[in-house]
Coordinates of all heavy atoms in Angstrom, one line a residue:
K183 N 2.9 -6.4 6.0 CA 3.4 -6.5 4.7 C 3.6 -5.1 4.1 O 2.7 -4.2 4.3 CB 2.4 -7.3 3.7 CG 3.0 -7.7 2.5 CD 2.0 -8.6 1.6 CE 2.4 -8.9 0.4 NZ 1.5 -9.9 -0.4
V184 N 4.7 -4.8 3.5 CA 5.0 -3.6 2.8 C 5.5 -4.0 1.4 O 6.6 -4.5 1.3 CB 6.0 -2.6 3.5 CG1 6.3 -1.5 2.7 CG2 5.5 -2.4 5.0
G185 N 4.7 -3.6 0.4 CA 5.1 -4.1 -0.9 C 5.2 -5.6 -0.9 O 4.3 -6.3 -0.6
R186 N 6.4 -6.1 -1.4 CA 6.6 -7.5 -1.5 C 7.2 -8.1 -0.1 O 7.5 -9.3 -0.1 CB 7.6 -7.8 -2.7 CG 6.9 -7.5 -4.1 CD 7.8 -7.7 -5.1 NE 8.6 -9.0 -5.0 CZ 9.8 -9.2 -5.3 NH1 10.6 -8.3 -5.9 NH2 10.3 -10.4 -5.3
I187 N 7.5 -7.2 0.8 CA 8.3 -7.6 2.0 C 7.3 -7.9 3.1 O 6.4 -7.2 3.4 CB 9.2 -6.5 2.5 CG1 10.2 -6.1 1.3 CG2 9.9 -6.9 3.8 CD1 11.1 -7.3 1.0
V188 N 7.4 -9.1 3.7 CA 6.5 -9.5 4.8 C 7.6 -9.6 6.1 O 8.6 -10.3 6.0 CB 5.9 -10.9 4.6 CG1 5.0 -11.4 5.8 CG2 5.0 -10.9 3.4
R189 N 7.1 -9.2 7.2 CA 7.8 -9.2 8.5 C 6.9 -9.8 9.4 O 5.7 -9.5 9.4 CB 8.2 -7.9 8.9 CG 9.2 -7.0 8.1 CD 10.6 -7.4 8.1 NE 11.1 -7.5 9.6 CZ 12.3 -7.0 9.9 NH1 13.0 -6.4 9.1 NH2 12.5 -7.1 11.2
S190 N 7.4 -10.9 10.1 CA 6.5 -11.7 11.1 C 7.3 -12.1 12.3 O 8.4 -12.5 12.2 CB 6.1 -12.9 10.2 OG 4.8 -13.5 10.9
A191 N 6.7 -11.7 13.5 CA 7.2 -12.2 14.8 C 6.4 -13.2 15.5 O 5.2 -13.0 15.5 CB 7.6 -11.0 15.5
H192 N 7.1 -14.1 16.2 CA 6.3 -15.2 17.0 C 7.0 -15.6 18.1 O 8.2 -15.7 18.2 CB 6.2 -16.4 15.9 CG 5.3 -16.0 14.7 ND1 4.0 -16.0 14.7 CD2 5.7 -15.6 13.5 CE1 3.6 -15.5 13.7 NE2 4.7 -15.2 12.8
I193 N 6.0 -16.0 19.1 CA 6.5 -16.8 20.3 C 5.6 -18.0 20.2 O 4.8 -18.2 19.4 CB 6.2 -16.0 21.6 CG1 4.8 -15.6 21.7 CG2 7.2 -14.8 21.7 CD1 4.4 -15.1 23.0
A194 N 6.0 -19.0 21.1 CA 5.3 -20.3 21.2 C 3.8 -20.1 21.7 O 3.6 -20.1 23.0 CB 6.0 -21.2 21.8
K195 N 2.8 -19.7 21.0 CA 1.5 -19.6 21.5 C 0.5 -20.4 20.6 O 0.7 -20.7 19.3 CB 1.0 -18.2 21.6 CG 0.8 -17.6 20.3 CD 0.2 -16.1 20.6 CE -0.1 -15.3 19.3 NZ -0.5 -13.9 19.6
N196 N -0.6 -20.9 21.2 CA -1.6 -21.6 20.5 C -2.3 -20.6 19.6 O -2.8 -19.6 20.0 CB -2.6 -22.2 21.6 CG -3.8 -22.9 20.9 OD1 -4.4 -22.4 20.1 ND2 -4.0 -24.1 21.3
P197 N -2.3 -20.9 18.3 CA -2.8 -19.8 17.3 C -4.4 -19.6 17.6 O -4.8 -18.6 17.3 CB -2.7 -20.4 16.0 CG -2.5 -21.8 16.1 CD -1.8 -22.0 17.6
E198 N -5.0 -20.5 18.2 CA -6.6 -20.3 18.4 C -6.8 -19.6 19.7 O -7.7 -18.8 19.6 CB -7.2 -21.7 18.3 CG -7.0 -22.4 16.9 CD -7.7 -23.9 16.9 OE1 -8.4 -24.2 17.9 OE2 -7.5 -24.5 16.0
T199 N -6.2 -19.9 20.6 CA -6.6 -19.4 22.0 C -5.6 -18.2 22.4 O -5.9 -17.4 23.2 CB -6.5 -20.5 23.1 OG1 -5.0 -20.8 23.1 CG2 -7.4 -21.6 22.7
G200 N -4.4 -18.1 21.8 CA -3.4 -17.2 22.1 C -2.7 -17.5 23.5 O -1.8 -16.9 23.9
E201 N -3.0 -18.7 24.1 CA -2.3 -19.2 25.4 C -0.9 -19.7 25.0 O -0.7 -20.2 23.9 CB -3.1 -20.3 25.9 CG -4.4 -19.9 26.5 CD -4.4 -19.0 27.5 OE1 -3.5 -19.0 28.5 OE2 -5.2 -18.1 27.5
L202 N 0.1 -19.2 25.8 CA 1.3 -19.8 25.7 C 1.5 -21.2 25.7 O 0.9 -21.9 26.5 CB 2.3 -19.0 26.7 CG 2.3 -17.6 26.7 CD1 3.3 -17.0 27.8 CD2 2.7 -17.0 25.3
V203 N 2.3 -21.8 24.7 CA 2.6 -23.2 24.7 C 3.9 -23.4 25.4 O 5.0 -22.9 25.0 CB 2.7 -23.8 23.3 CG1 3.2 -25.1 23.2 CG2 1.4 -23.5 22.5
T204 N 3.8 -24.0 26.6 CA 5.0 -24.3 27.4 C 5.6 -25.7 27.0 O 4.9 -26.5 26.4 CB 4.8 -24.2 29.0 OG1 3.8 -25.1 29.1 CG2 4.3 -22.8 29.2
G205 N 6.7 -26.1 27.4 CA 7.4 -27.3 27.2 C 8.9 -27.0 26.9 O 9.4 -26.0 26.9
D206 N 9.4 -28.1 26.4 CA 10.9 -28.0 26.1 C 11.1 -27.2 24.7 O 10.1 -26.7 24.0 CB 11.6 -29.4 25.9 CG 11.0 -30.2 24.8 OD1 10.3 -29.6 23.9 OD2 11.4 -31.5 24.6
I207 N 12.4 -26.9 24.4 CA 12.6 -26.1 23.2 C 12.1 -26.6 21.9 O 11.7 -25.9 21.1 CB 14.2 -25.8 23.1 CG1 14.5 -24.7 22.0 CG2 15.0 -27.1 22.8 CD1 13.9 -23.4 22.4
E208 N 12.1 -28.0 21.8 CA 11.7 -28.6 20.5 C 10.1 -28.4 20.3 O 9.6 -28.0 19.4 CB 12.0 -30.0 20.4 CG 13.5 -30.3 20.3 CD 13.9 -31.8 20.1 OE1 13.1 -32.6 19.8 OE2 15.1 -32.0 20.3
C209 N 9.4 -28.5 21.5 CA 7.9 -28.2 21.4 C 7.7 -26.8 21.1 O 6.8 -26.5 20.2 CB 7.3 -28.7 22.8 SG 5.6 -28.1 23.0
Q210 N 8.3 -25.9 21.7 CA 8.1 -24.5 21.4 C 8.6 -24.0 20.0 O 7.9 -23.4 19.4 CB 8.9 -23.5 22.7 CG 8.0 -23.7 23.9 CD 8.5 -22.7 24.9 OE1 9.0 -21.6 24.5 NE2 8.2 -23.0 26.1
A211 N 9.7 -24.6 19.6 CA 10.1 -24.3 18.3 C 9.2 -24.8 17.2 O 8.9 -24.1 16.3 CB 11.6 -24.9 18.1
R212 N 8.8 -25.8 17.5 CA 7.8 -26.4 16.4 C 6.5 -25.5 16.3 O 5.9 -25.3 15.2 CB 7.4 -27.9 16.8 CG 6.6 -28.6 15.6 CD 6.4 -30.1 15.9 NE 7.7 -30.8 15.6 CZ 8.5 -31.3 16.4 NH1 8.3 -31.4 17.7 NH2 9.7 -31.9 16.0
Q213 N 6.1 -25.1 17.5 CA 4.9 -24.2 17.5 C 5.1 -22.9 16.8 O 4.4 -22.4 16.0 CB 4.4 -23.9 19.0 CG 3.0 -23.2 19.0 CD 2.0 -23.9 18.4 OE1 1.6 -25.0 18.7 NE2 1.3 -23.4 17.2
V214 N 6.5 -22.3 17.2 CA 6.8 -21.0 16.6 C 6.8 -21.1 15.1 O 6.3 -20.3 14.4 CB 8.2 -20.6 17.2 CG1 8.8 -19.5 16.4 CG2 8.0 -20.1 18.6
F215 N 7.5 -22.2 14.6 CA 7.7 -22.2 13.1 C 6.4 -22.7 12.4 O 6.1 -22.2 11.4 CB 8.8 -23.0 12.7 CG 10.1 -22.6 13.2 CD1 11.1 -23.3 14.0 CD2 10.7 -21.4 12.7 CE1 12.2 -22.7 14.5 CE2 11.8 -20.8 13.1 CZ 12.6 -21.5 14.0
S216 N 5.5 -23.3 13.1 CA 4.2 -23.7 12.5 C 3.3 -22.3 12.4 O 2.6 -22.0 11.4 CB 3.5 -24.7 13.4 OG 3.9 -25.9 13.4
N217 N 3.5 -21.6 13.4 CA 2.7 -20.3 13.4 C 3.3 -19.3 12.4 O 2.6 -18.6 11.6 CB 2.9 -19.5 14.7 CG 2.1 -20.1 15.8 OD1 1.2 -21.1 15.6 ND2 2.2 -19.7 17.1
L218 N 4.7 -19.3 12.2 CA 5.3 -18.5 11.1 C 4.7 -19.0 9.8 O 4.4 -18.2 8.9 CB 6.8 -18.7 11.1 CG 7.6 -18.0 10.0 CD1 7.2 -16.5 10.0 CD2 9.1 -18.3 10.0
R219 N 4.7 -20.3 9.5 CA 4.2 -20.9 8.3 C 2.7 -20.3 8.0 O 2.4 -19.9 6.9 CB 4.3 -22.3 8.2 CG 3.7 -23.0 6.9 CD 3.9 -24.4 6.8 NE 3.5 -25.1 8.0 CZ 4.2 -26.2 8.4 NH1 5.3 -26.6 7.7 NH2 3.9 -26.6 9.6
Q220 N 1.9 -20.5 9.0 CA 0.5 -20.0 8.9 C 0.4 -18.4 8.5 O -0.3 -18.1 7.7 CB -0.2 -20.3 10.2 CG -1.8 -19.8 10.2 CD -2.4 -20.1 11.4 OE1 -2.1 -21.1 12.1 NE2 -3.5 -19.4 11.7
A221 N 1.2 -17.7 9.2 CA 1.2 -16.2 9.0 C 1.7 -15.9 7.6 O 1.1 -15.0 6.9 CB 2.1 -15.5 10.0
L222 N 2.7 -16.5 7.1 CA 3.4 -16.3 5.8 C 2.3 -16.7 4.7 O 2.1 -16.0 3.9 CB 4.6 -17.0 5.5 CG 5.8 -16.4 6.4 CD1 7.0 -17.3 6.3 CD2 6.1 -15.0 6.1
E223 N 1.7 -17.9 4.9 CA 0.7 -18.3 4.0 C -0.6 -17.2 3.9 O -1.1 -16.8 2.7 CB 0.1 -19.7 4.2 CG 1.2 -20.7 4.0 CD 0.8 -22.1 4.4 OE1 -0.3 -22.3 5.1 OE2 1.6 -23.1 4.2
A224 N -0.9 -16.7 5.0 CA -2.0 -15.6 5.1 C -1.5 -14.4 4.2 O -2.4 -13.6 3.7 CB -2.3 -15.2 6.6
A225 N -0.2 -14.2 4.3 CA 0.3 -12.9 3.6 C 0.6 -13.2 2.1 O 1.2 -12.5 1.4 CB 1.6 -12.5 4.3
G226 N 0.3 -14.5 1.6 CA 0.6 -14.8 0.2 C 2.1 -15.2 0.1 O 2.6 -15.0 -1.1
S227 N 2.7 -15.7 0.9 CA 4.1 -16.1 1.0 C 4.3 -17.5 1.5 O 3.3 -18.3 1.9 CB 5.0 -15.2 1.7 OG 6.3 -15.3 1.4
T228 N 5.5 -18.0 1.6 CA 5.9 -19.4 2.1 C 7.1 -19.3 2.8 O 7.8 -18.4 2.8 CB 6.0 -20.3 0.9 OG1 7.2 -19.8 0.3 CG2 4.8 -20.4 0.0
L229 N 7.4 -20.4 3.6 CA 8.6 -20.5 4.3 C 9.9 -20.4 3.4 O 10.9 -20.1 3.6 CB 8.7 -21.8 5.2 CG 7.8 -22.0 6.4 CD1 7.8 -23.3 7.0 CD2 8.2 -20.9 7.4
A230 N 9.7 -20.9 2.1 CA 10.7 -20.9 1.1 C 11.2 -19.5 0.8 O 12.3 -19.3 0.3 CB 10.4 -21.7 -0.1
A231 N 10.3 -18.5 1.0 CA 10.5 -17.2 0.6 C 11.2 -16.3 1.8 O 11.5 -15.2 1.6 CB 9.2 -16.5 0.3
V232 N 11.4 -17.0 2.8 CA 12.0 -16.3 4.1 C 13.7 -16.1 3.7 O 14.2 -17.0 3.3 CB 12.0 -17.2 5.3 CG1 12.8 -16.6 6.5 CG2 10.5 -17.2 5.8
V233 N 14.0 -15.0 3.9 CA 15.4 -14.5 3.6 C 16.2 -14.3 4.9 O 17.4 -14.3 4.8 CB 15.6 -13.4 2.7 CG1 15.0 -13.6 1.2 CG2 14.7 -12.2 3.3
Q234 N 15.5 -14.0 6.1 CA 16.4 -13.7 7.2 C 15.3 -14.1 8.5 O 14.1 -13.9 8.4 CB 16.6 -12.2 7.3 CG 17.4 -11.9 8.6 CD 17.7 -10.4 8.7 OE1 17.2 -9.6 7.8 NE2 18.5 -10.1 9.6
I235 N 16.1 -14.7 9.4 CA 15.4 -14.9 10.6 C 16.3 -14.6 11.8 O 17.5 -14.7 11.8 CB 15.0 -16.5 10.9 CG1 14.1 -16.8 9.8 CG2 14.6 -16.7 12.2 CD1 13.5 -18.3 10.0
Q236 N 15.7 -13.8 12.8 CA 16.3 -13.6 14.1 C 15.8 -14.3 15.1 O 14.6 -14.4 15.3 CB 16.3 -12.1 14.4 CG 17.0 -11.1 13.4 CD 16.5 -9.6 13.6 OE1 15.6 -9.2 12.8 NE2 17.2 -9.0 14.5
V237 N 16.7 -15.2 15.8 CA 16.2 -16.1 16.8 C 16.7 -15.5 18.2 O 17.8 -15.3 18.3 CB 16.7 -17.5 16.5 CG1 16.3 -18.5 17.7 CG2 16.2 -18.1 15.3
Y238 N 15.8 -15.5 19.2 CA 16.1 -15.1 20.5 C 15.8 -16.2 21.4 O 14.7 -16.7 21.5 CB 15.2 -13.8 20.9 CG 15.6 -12.7 20.0 CD1 14.7 -12.5 18.9 CD2 16.6 -11.8 20.1 CE1 14.8 -11.4 18.0 CE2 16.8 -10.7 19.3 CZ 15.9 -10.6 18.2 OH 16.1 -9.6 17.3
L239 N 16.9 -16.8 22.1 CA 16.9 -17.9 23.1 C 17.0 -17.4 24.4 O 17.9 -16.4 24.7 CB 17.9 -18.9 22.6 CG 17.7 -19.7 21.2 CD1 18.9 -20.6 21.1 CD2 16.4 -20.3 21.0
I240 N 16.5 -18.0 25.4 CA 16.8 -17.7 26.7 C 18.0 -18.5 27.3 O 18.5 -18.2 28.4 CB 15.6 -17.8 27.8 CG1 15.1 -19.3 27.8 CG2 14.5 -16.9 27.3 CD1 14.3 -19.6 29.0
D241 N 18.4 -19.5 26.6 CA 19.5 -20.5 27.1 C 20.2 -21.0 25.9 O 19.6 -21.6 24.9 CB 18.9 -21.6 27.9 CG 19.9 -22.4 28.5 OD1 21.2 -22.5 28.1 OD2 19.6 -23.2 29.5
R242 N 21.6 -20.8 25.8 CA 22.3 -21.3 24.7 C 22.2 -22.8 24.6 O 22.4 -23.3 23.5 CB 23.8 -20.8 24.8 CG 24.7 -21.5 25.8 CD 26.1 -20.9 25.8 NE 26.2 -19.5 26.1 CZ 26.6 -18.6 25.3 NH1 27.2 -18.8 24.2 NH2 26.7 -17.3 25.6
A243 N 21.9 -23.5 25.8 CA 21.9 -25.0 25.6 C 20.7 -25.4 24.8 O 20.5 -26.5 24.3 CB 21.6 -25.5 27.1
D244 N 19.7 -24.4 24.5 CA 18.6 -24.7 23.7 C 18.9 -24.7 22.2 O 18.0 -25.0 21.4 CB 17.4 -23.8 23.9 CG 16.7 -24.0 25.3 OD1 16.8 -25.1 25.8 OD2 16.0 -23.1 25.7
A245 N 20.1 -24.3 21.7 CA 20.4 -23.9 20.4 C 20.3 -25.5 19.5 O 19.8 -25.4 18.5 CB 21.8 -23.3 20.2

Side-chain angles (χ1 to χ4, degrees):
K183 187 175 183 180
V184 178
R186 294 178 47 218
I187 306 297
V188 179
R189 301 278 309 223
S190 195
H192 297 279
I193 58 174
K195 72 176 180 178
N196 180 308
E198 295 174 9
T199 66
E201 295 297 317
L202 299 179
V203 174
T204 57
D206 67 14
I207 190 63
E208 291 184 19
C209 172
Q210 288 196 20
R212 190 168 282 111
Q213 186 65 60
V214 164
F215 293 121
S216 292
N217 289 353
L218 175 60
R219 178 174 43 219
Q220 180 177 333
L222 291 174
E223 288 173 358
S227 192
T228 67
L229 289 173
V232 173
V233 295
Q234 180 182 10
I235 294 187
Q236 294 167 262
V237 177
Y238 302 93
L239 298 173
I240 64 163
D241 187 341
R242 78 179 59 240
D244 285 342

